Amino acid sequence: MMKQLLSPALLVLIFFLLCTTTSGQSSAPAAAPSGPSVSSGSSSGPPDITAILRKAGKFTTFIGLLKSTQVDDLINNQLKANLGFTIFAPTDSAFSDLKSGTLNSFTDEQKTALTKFHIVPSFLTISQFQTVSNPVNTVAGDSVEFPLNVISNGTQVNITTGLVNTTADSTVHSDGQLAVYEIGEVLLSQGILKPLAEAPLSPKPKKASPPNAYAPSKSTGASAISSDATCLSPYAPTVASVGVAVLAAVRLCL
């Protein structure tokens, strides 16, 4: 009888001890994970002009000009120095609308001037175009050869150069430091085309052929005649005297 009562008691005691151990383990603090912690935040640097245009997906030709002329490095370095820029970016379709072979006919200097003519060295919003002074200064330089006039009504921006009239169709990028606006035509000016126009007007001078040492000059004959006359003149009186003597001898013989 005691064995029958003891067995359930032992079972209850063992069950009680097991429950106490389990609850103690569950209340213990969990160990912290090992290894370095990774921050979820990312630091943003200055904008990159070629990355912005490449992301837009329709400025391949303009990107090529920026890189070949190294104007992209100029812009990105200035952006790192917290300077601002406004860029009028022609689409690939705008370059396709140029006369066939135009871009390939440009010299390296013309390509650099063309690229810089699309860049204003300050940040301008659409509304700020209403108050800018024309002609607007560009990175290309002289506003006489590179005139860029911008007229805005607050919502639309019209751009004229004397050769091209176009509009800023949309805003590609604007962050308070760099503004990029899409335009439908390539901005050309007399300052860009002038070297190309002057080229046919200045042909290379013909090289003078060396004188032929064996060719007689025009004055040789006259000089020779003059020289012969000069050489004969001292003997003229002697010849005359001999002639007179001969005539006298003939008369005596007769």
Side-chain angles (χ1 to χ4, degrees):
M1 185 70 181
M2 288 296 294
K3 289 182 178 180
Q4 293 178 351
L5 293 174
L6 184 60
S7 296
L10 287 173
L11 291 174
V12 171
L13 179 60
I14 292 170
F15 178 76
F16 177 78
L17 291 174
L18 288 173
C19 291
T20 304
T21 304
T22 304
S23 63
Q25 290 178 350
S26 61
S27 62
S34 60
S37 60
V38 179
S39 174
S40 60
S42 60
S43 58
S44 59
D48 184 286
I49 180 57
T50 53
I52 291 170
L53 293 173
R54 193 177 294 112
K55 185 178 180 180
K58 51 183 174 180
F59 301 99
T60 304
T61 305
F62 192 54
I63 292 174
L65 278 175
L66 287 168
K67 286 188 167 295
S68 64
T69 59
Q70 298 182 346
V71 175
D72 61 330
D73 291 335
L74 170 68
I75 295 172
N76 289 333
N77 289 335
Q78 296 296 320
L79 290 173
K80 290 177 183 178
N82 295 323
L83 298 179
F85 287 98
T86 298
I87 299 177
F88 297 107
T91 62
D92 292 333
S93 298
F95 282 100
S96 298
D97 291 338
L98 290 175
K99 185 179 178 180
S100 179
T102 297
L103 199 58
N104 291 332
S105 66
F106 282 1
T107 64
D108 292 341
E109 290 76 12
Q110 286 175 298
K111 290 179 181 178
T112 300
L114 174 67
T115 307
K116 289 183 175 181
F117 189 46
H118 289 75
I119 303 170
V120 178
S122 59
F123 174 79
L124 295 171
T125 63
I126 295 292
S127 60
Q128 287 175 325
F129 281 119
Q130 292 179 282
T131 58
V132 295
S133 299
N134 287 312
V136 177
N137 291 328
T138 68
V139 180
D142 189 358
S143 60
V144 175
E145 293 188 349
F146 302 96
L148 184 69
N149 296 284
V150 180
I151 301 173
S152 174
N153 59 8
T155 57
Q156 182 177 348
V157 178
N158 297 319
I159 306 167
T160 63
T161 68
L163 297 178
V164 175
N165 297 320
T166 187
T167 60
D169 297 328
S170 63
T171 302
V172 179
H173 178 86
S174 181
D175 60 5
Q177 184 182 10
L178 174 66
V180 181
Y181 300 105
E182 174 188 334
I183 57 176
E185 293 188 47
V186 179
L187 302 179
L188 298 174
S189 73
Q190 291 292 350
I192 297 170
L193 301 180
K194 185 177 179 181
L196 195 65
E198 288 181 346
L201 301 179
S202 55
K204 294 182 180 180
K206 294 182 179 180
K207 294 182 179 180
S209 58
N212 189 348
Y214 300 98
S217 61
K218 295 181 180 179
S219 60
T220 302
S223 300
I225 295 173
S226 176
S227 176
D228 292 343
T230 303
C231 293
L232 293 174
S233 58
Y235 302 99
T238 304
V239 173
S241 300
V242 171
V244 172
V246 171
L247 291 174
V250 172
R251 287 178 180 176
L252 291 174
C253 292
L254 294 174

